[in-house]
Amino acid sequence: MGMSSQPGISSRRLVLLLALYFFFVLNLPLTTKLAGILESLDGVSAGFVLSIPVFFVAALNLLFTLVAVKYLEKGIFIALLLLSSMVSYAMFQYGVVFDQDMMANIMQTHQGEAKSYLNAASLLWFVLTGVAPALLLARVRIEHGGVLKDLLWKGVSVLGSLAAIGVIAVGYYQDYASVGRNNSYLRQLIIPTYFLSSAGGYVNQTYLKEELPWRTLGEDARVGRPHHNGKPNLLVLMVGETARGMNFELNGYPRDTNAFTREQGVVSFQAVSSCGTATSVSVPCMFSRQPKSDYDAEQAERQDNLLDVLEHAGLDITWLENDGGCKGVCERIPTQSFRPEDGGQLCDGDYCQDGVLLSPLRRALDRPGQQDRVLVLHMVGSHGPTYYQRYPAEFAHFTPDCQRSDIQNCSVRELVNTYDNTLYYSDYIISQVLEMLKQHQAQWNTGLVYLSDHGESLGENGLYLHGLPYALAPVQQTQVPMLMWLSAGLGRENGLDNGCLKQQAKEGRFSHDNLFDSVLGLMGVHTSQYQPKQDLLAPCRSA
C-alpha cells in the first residue's frame, strides 16, 4: 500500500504553529493595543515585553492542545481560522468588540446588512488570513501516534504551557496585573477566546435557559383626561438609526444637517444618552419599563413594553418597519415591514431608503377615527458602513462623499460628509412627517417625537461604527438626538408651558429611560406603571 501524497505534520507541531499564527497574525488588534500601552509606560522592563508573546503563545498552545481531538481537530481548526479572520478584520479596522450583545446583533443581522460589510479590503483580508491557511491545513495530513503516545505528548504540551505561564507569572506578575487592571478591555480583544465565550453565552441565554413566564404590565391603563377640543390625539414616534446628537445642527453642530426642520418649531433635547450601543439592545431597552441601570434583556423580552401598555389603554398602535426588524418590540402590534427585495424606486435589494415610510404614513393619517393613535416609524437612518446608500443622489449635500463600504480607506472629510448626508436626508424625512401632521390638525391633536437608538464612531481614536461595550464606548456612540414637536392642540391637552419645555431641552440631561413615561404622559394615559419623575414633560405641565 503506497504512502499518501499529502504532506504530513504531527498534531503537536500543528498546534504550536497555530498558536504562533493566532498570536502574531490574527491577534493583530490585541498586539497593536498592547504596543501602544507599553510605549506610553515609563520604565518597562525588557523581560516583561519579551515575555508577552511567550505568555500568549503558551496559553493558546494549551487551549488548542485540549481541543485537538483526533478526527475532529482539522474541522475545528479550519472553522476557527475562518471565523477568527473575520473577527480580526472587524476588530482591527473598526474597533468592534465581540461581546454577547454584539453576538445578538450579528444573529439579528439581515442579508442586506451583512452584504454592506463586503468590500475588496475585507475580502482580501479574509482570503489571506483565513482562507489561505485553512486551505493549507485542509491539504495536510495530521499525524498521530498510538493512543498512549498521543496522551503522553498532550500531557507534555499541557504541562510545558502551564510551566511557561507559571514562570512568567512568578517573574512579572506585578507588570501583568498593572497593565490588566488599567486596561481591562484587553481581554475582550483576545482571539479566539473572547468571541467564543461570547457566542457560548449568547447560545445559552437564547436557546438553553428556561423561558421566563410572561409578565403583563399596565392592564389598568386608560386614557385619563377628556379631549377638550373634541379631537383625538395622534403621536408619530420616529425611531432613528445610528444618529449621533453632536452632528445635529440644532445641537450646535456647525453644518446645516437640520436644514429642513430648523424653522418648523421643533424642540431639540441637547443631552440624551442611549441605553445601548447597538440596535438589538437599545430598541428593546428604550421601549421597556426597565431602566438602563437594571435592564435585563431576557426579562424585557418576556414582559409587556410601552406599546403594549398603550394598547391596554385602548390606543390604536401601528409600527412601520424599515430597519430590518423591531427586535421583538412590535411582535404584538400591527406591523408593516418594507422588504428591500420587493424593489421600488427607493429600494436597492438590500435596503430601502426612508422615503418609503411616507406614503403608508399618509394613508394612516387619512384614515378617519376617534381613537387615539401612536404610529411608530423605525428608520434605517444612518446605518453604516454603506452610508452613501442611505440617501438619494440629490441629497448628497456635503461633497465629496465616501462611495464605498471600507470606510477606513476614505478621508476624514469624505467620511464625515457621507455620514452628515444621511442626517440631512433623515431631517428631510422628519420635515415631511411634520408637514403631514400640520395638515391634519383639523382632525387630530398631533405630535412628533424623534429619538435615535445609538450613535456612531467615525474614526475618532481609531474607532468606527458602533457596538462597543457601554462602559468602553465613546460619547459618539452613546449620545443621541431627540426632537419633539407638538401641535397647539396637543400642547393645550397637556397644559404645557413652551418656554419651560425649551429650557428643559436646553439644560436637562435625559436618556432612553425617559421615553416610556414621557409618551404615557403625552398621550394622557393613566396607569400604575407611570413614573412622573421620568416624564421629561412633567415639570412643564400645569395642574
Side-chain angles (χ1 to χ4, degrees), residues 125 230 294:
W125 181 294
D294 296 323

Side-chain angles (χ1 to χ4, degrees), residues 81 128 130 179 206 220 256 260 268 272 295 316 423 469 509 525:
L81 283 166
L128 292 179
V179 171
T206 308
D220 61 341
D256 58 343
F260 301 98
S268 180
V272 182
Y295 180 70
D316 179 7
L423 300 182
R509 302 193 66 84
V525 173

Side-chain angles (χ1 to χ4, degrees), residues 218-223 307-315 371 520 524-526:
E219 285 187 301
D220 61 341
R222 59 184 177 83
V223 177
L307 302 183
D308 299 308
V309 175
L310 292 171
E311 198 167 52
H312 294 330
L315 276 69
Q371 193 178 7
L520 290 180
V525 173
H526 288 194

Side-chain angles (χ1 to χ4, degrees), residues 56 81 136 225 310:
F56 279 101
L81 283 166
L136 186 62
R225 63 176 180 241
L310 292 171

Side-chain angles (χ1 to χ4, degrees), residues 114-125:
K115 284 172 64 178
S116 70
Y117 292 93
L118 292 178
N119 52 64
S122 63
L123 287 173
L124 182 62
W125 181 294

Side-chain angles (χ1 to χ4, degrees), residues 3 53 63 69 78 92 105 108 157 165 174 179 188 192 218 269 277 285 288 314 316-317 341 449 453 511:
M3 295 289 290
L63 171 66
V69 179
I78 287 174
F92 184 67
N105 214 36
Q108 296 172 25
S157 183
I165 293 169
Q174 291 297 335
V179 171
Q188 299 173 327
F269 291 79
T277 60
C285 183
S288 169
D316 179 7
I317 315 296
E341 60 269 25
V449 173
D453 58 356
S511 73

Side-chain angles (χ1 to χ4, degrees), residues 318-322 333-338 356-357 360-361 363:
T318 301
W319 184 287
L320 302 179
E321 175 59 50
N322 190 42
I333 302 300
T335 301
Q336 179 179 350
S337 297
F338 300 94
V356 297
L357 295 165
L361 175 62
R363 290 193 295 271

